[in-house]
Amino acid sequence: MSHFNIKTFNSIAMEGLQRFSKEYYKINESENPEAIVLRSYNLHDEPINDNLLAVGRAGAGYNNIPVEKLSEQGIVAFNAPGANANSVKELVLTSLISHARNTLPASKWASELSGDDIATQVEDGKKKFKGHEIKGKTLGVIGLGQVGLLVANDAENLGMDVIGYDPYISVDAAWNINRSVTKASSIDEVLQKADYITIHVPFLDSTKNMIDSTAIRQMKASAVLLNFSRAEIVDEDALVKALNHNRLGHYISDFPNETVLGQEKVTLLPHLGASTGESEKNSAIMVANQLIDYLETGNIVNSVNYPRVKMQLTSPLRIAVCNQNIKNIIASLTKLLSEEGLNIDHIINKSRGDYAYTLVDITEADEEKVKEIIERIEEKEGILKVRLIKNLEHDAWYQ
C-alpha cells in the first residue's frame, strides 16, 4: 500500500494526528492530498485537487466546508458529532448560572475597587448584584441531540424543571433522557413555559432564523435566551428590538457580531463552546479514526454528505463507488462485473438524498484486470468517483 497524503488546516490536536501511522500516511508533505483535516478554516475558497477523497472536520459544525461541491465530485465529508458535546454543555450551564448570579458584572465591579475601605464598599455594593437560584426555574431545550441531551439531563440534576423539544430525536437520545424531563409536543410549548431557553440544533436552511419575532413574542418578557449553536439560528435584529422594548430579558451568545455588540442586555463569548483541550483532542481522534477507516476500507461513518455504509472487509479486493442517486446504477455495475467473470463476495448500497455509495467485495486477485474494469465503471453515467481498495490482511497481499 502506498502512502496516503494528509493535509491539515488549523492546529489539529497531536493525539488525532498520531492516529495516522507513519507506515501508511504522510502529513503535510503534499499540496495534492487524499484527505484534509481541519477545524474552522474556510475551505470554500480552496481549490479541490483531483486526488482528494475525503475531508474531515474536527468538530460538529461544517459551514466552513463546501459540502455540495465535494458531493458532486464524490468526495466524502466527515465531522465529529458529540466529540465536543460535554465541552459545550459545561459552557451552557456555566453561562446560565453565571447570569442568574450576576457573576460577570459583579466580578468586573469588584476588580475595580480601590481605597482603604474595601470591606465597607463590598457590603454596601453587593446588593445591586443580588441574583437568584436556578433550582425550580424552567429550562427549555430546543434540540435534543448530543449537546441538548446532556444539557437537559444535567440541568434537571441541578434542580431545574426541564422541558425539551426535538421532532427528530433519535432512539438513543430518547433512551438516555432523564425520565423527569418533559417532552414538549411543539416548540411553542417550550417558548411559552421556559424561564431559560437554550438552542441546540444544526444550522440548516430550515433552521435559519428559527427564533424570529414570532417566536420571541411567545417567550416570557423575563426569559433568557442562550445560543451556543450558530448565530444565524436567531433573527438577531428582531431579538435586539425585543430586548430594547423589554419584551425579552437577556441574550447569551457564543457568536459576537455587529448586530449584538454593545447591547446592554447581551452577554457575548468569543466562540468558546468547543475550546477545551479535551474537546479538541476528542474531535481530532474521532475524525482521524473515521478518515483512516474510509481510506483503508471504504467504510463511511459520520459523513455529512454520503450515507453511513459499514461492511467488514474480508475479501482480497473492494471496489468503492460514489455516484448520483439515479436508477439502474447498481444493476449496471453488477452486470459489468458478471460479464467480466468477477465473483462478488459481498455488496452493499445505500443512498442519501441525491447521492449514493456502494461497496463491492470481490475474490479476483488480478489487480490489473480489476483496474481496467474500474476504468469502464468510471465512464458510466452518474458515476462520480471509483477506487480500488486492497485488503492488507488478506493472504494475497500480506507479503
Side-chain angles (χ1 to χ4, degrees), residues 18 20-21 158 208-209 264 344:
Q18 288 173 345
F20 298 105
S21 70
L158 289 170
K208 184 177 181 179
N209 290 338
E264 183 180 356
I344 297 176

Side-chain angles (χ1 to χ4, degrees), residues 12 31 38-39 46 63 77 84 94 143 161 182 197 201 207 223 267 281 283 323 363 369 376 379 382 399:
I12 306 300
E31 291 301 314
L38 49 69
R39 290 169 59 202
E46 290 289 330
N63 304 56
N84 61 10
T94 297
D161 296 325
T182 302
I197 299 166
V201 299
T207 60
T267 298
K281 179 185 73 173
S283 297
N323 59 272
T363 57
K369 177 180 179 181
R376 293 180 58 188
E379 296 172 354
Q399 303 293 333

Side-chain angles (χ1 to χ4, degrees), residues 4 52-54 67 72 76 80 138-139 180-181 195 218 221 279 289 304 345-346 352 360 384 394:
F4 287 114
L52 192 63
L53 299 173
V67 174
E72 291 169 354
V76 181
T138 298
L139 173 66
S180 53
V181 173
D195 300 304
Q218 297 188 69
S279 173
N289 287 342
V304 303
D345 267 354
H346 308 282
R352 178 175 177 175
V360 184
L384 302 174
H394 196 277

Side-chain angles (χ1 to χ4, degrees), residues 153-174:
N153 285 348
D154 281 11
E156 194 272 335
N157 290 332
L158 289 170
M160 300 190 79
D161 296 325
V162 181
I163 179 171
Y165 175 72
D166 191 333
Y168 307 109
I169 187 169
S170 69
V171 174
D172 287 343

Side-chain angles (χ1 to χ4, degrees), residues 4 33-35 51-55 74-77 294-295 385 387:
F4 287 114
E34 282 77 27
N51 293 332
L52 192 63
L53 299 173
V55 173
I75 299 167
V76 181
Y294 179 66
L295 294 173
K385 193 177 288 288
R387 65 189 180 106

Side-chain angles (χ1 to χ4, degrees), residues 127-143:
K127 300 179 184 65
K128 60 184 175 183
F129 300 111
K130 181 180 179 180
H132 61 261
E133 298 179 8
I134 64 169
K135 183 178 180 180
K137 303 301 188 294
T138 298
L139 173 66
V141 182
I142 300 173

Side-chain angles (χ1 to χ4, degrees), residues 10-29:
N10 308 120
S11 176
I12 306 300
M14 188 57 62
E15 291 88 347
L17 295 181
Q18 288 173 345
R19 302 294 298 172
F20 298 105
S21 70
K22 293 181 180 179
E23 184 179 4
Y24 297 135
Y25 296 90
K26 293 181 178 180
I27 309 294
N28 292 326
E29 294 187 18

Side-chain angles (χ1 to χ4, degrees), residues 60 83-95 147-148 150-151 198-200 228-229 254 272-276 279:
N84 61 10
N86 187 72
S87 176
V88 178
K89 174 211 70 176
E90 289 187 358
L91 188 61
V92 170
L93 294 177
T94 297
S95 300
V147 177
L150 295 179
V151 171
T198 182
I199 313 162
H200 299 288
F228 287 82
S229 290
D254 206 21
L272 295 179
S275 293
T276 64
S279 173

